[in-house]
Amino acid sequence: SSGINAEYGKWRIVSEGLLAEYAYVLAEGGLVYTVSDVKEVHDWMVKHFTEFPLFERYTPGPEDKAAQALIGTTEEGKKVIRNNGESWTAIFRRVTDPQQQ
């Protein structure tokens, strides 16, 4: 198993089962914002959201205030900024179920 599974597995909020639940509760067009200061975790989340058929990667416009506020609004985010650390973000949009089209 990879290091990410051992080190971060218990903290994961992205799994195939949970992606299905997120898709169930989000209306079509609903957004999921992710942010991590661990590149491996970010890559893992992007991979799983991208592979899941009910989400697509989304690029926000300048009017998306949530995307702008994503970094630096949590205690963890503020710590990353104070320490001049890096963080990675990704946004995904809930799309129409291709089986229902």
Side-chain angles (χ1 to χ4, degrees), residues 12-83:
R12 245 187 249 143
I13 59 169
V14 175
S15 68
E16 189 168 331
L18 286 174
L19 286 171
E21 289 192 36
Y22 298 155
Y24 179 77
V25 299
L26 274 176
E28 288 180 16
L31 301 176
V32 175
Y33 296 79
T34 67
V35 62
S36 179
D37 61 340
V38 178
K39 180 77 164 94
E40 289 175 304
V41 172
H42 166 75
D43 291 342
W44 195 94
M45 289 190 292
V46 167
K47 175 184 184 301
H48 286 80
F49 266 104
T50 302
E51 291 174 352
F52 199 82
L54 298 179
F55 290 100
E56 67 182 7
R57 191 91 185 246
Y58 172 75
T59 303
E63 72 285 353
D64 190 334
K65 303 297 184 210
Q68 295 173 15
L70 196 55
I71 301 171
T73 56
T74 66
E75 288 305 312
E76 195 63 29
K78 291 174 186 174
K79 185 174 86 175
V80 168
I81 291 169
R82 279 194 308 271
N83 294 331

Side-chain angles (χ1 to χ4, degrees), residues 28 95-101:
E28 288 180 16
V95 296
T96 303
D97 187 340
Q99 294 180 355
Q100 294 183 354
Q101 289 184 347

